[in-house]
Amino acid sequence: MDNSPKEVLAKARRVRIELRTRPCLEGLPIGVNDHGASIYRHPKPGQANTFHVPFAEIEAIWDMDLGKRVWRR
């Protein structure tokens, strides 16, 4: 497994992120900075399509192309 969620999200194309306080989020990482990542997902009507996820909220990251967990707190 890689060392940090920042490294994992910078490499991945499609991810599923398990969060501490919210339901899982699946989508495409479109931006990563020192504080968190922006995740794009195809929205349902009336929902936002881009979410900012702070690294402190992330419990685990799954790479959907590989079909396995690639990072865990």
Side-chain angles (χ1 to χ4, degrees):
M1 289 192 193
D2 286 317
N3 296 332
S4 73
K6 184 177 180 179
E7 293 174 9
V8 170
L9 291 169
K11 293 178 190 176
R13 292 182 348 156
R14 292 186 316 132
V15 294
R16 178 175 184 240
I17 299 176
E18 295 177 13
L19 302 167
R20 287 182 180 195
T21 59
R22 295 183 278 173
C24 291
L25 179 63
E26 290 188 28
L28 311 170
I30 56 173
V32 179
N33 62 29
D34 291 335
H35 307 288
S38 296
I39 307 296
Y40 173 82
R41 70 179 181 118
H42 299 292
K44 296 176 183 169
Q47 291 183 333
N49 62 356
T50 304
F51 295 88
H52 180 75
V53 180
F55 291 135
E57 283 279 314
I58 299 174
E59 285 293 317
I61 301 171
W62 294 74
D63 187 319
M64 301 306 288
D65 292 330
L66 298 176
K68 66 179 186 175
R69 186 176 59 210
V70 291
W71 186 83
R72 178 176 59 149
R73 183 167 303 285

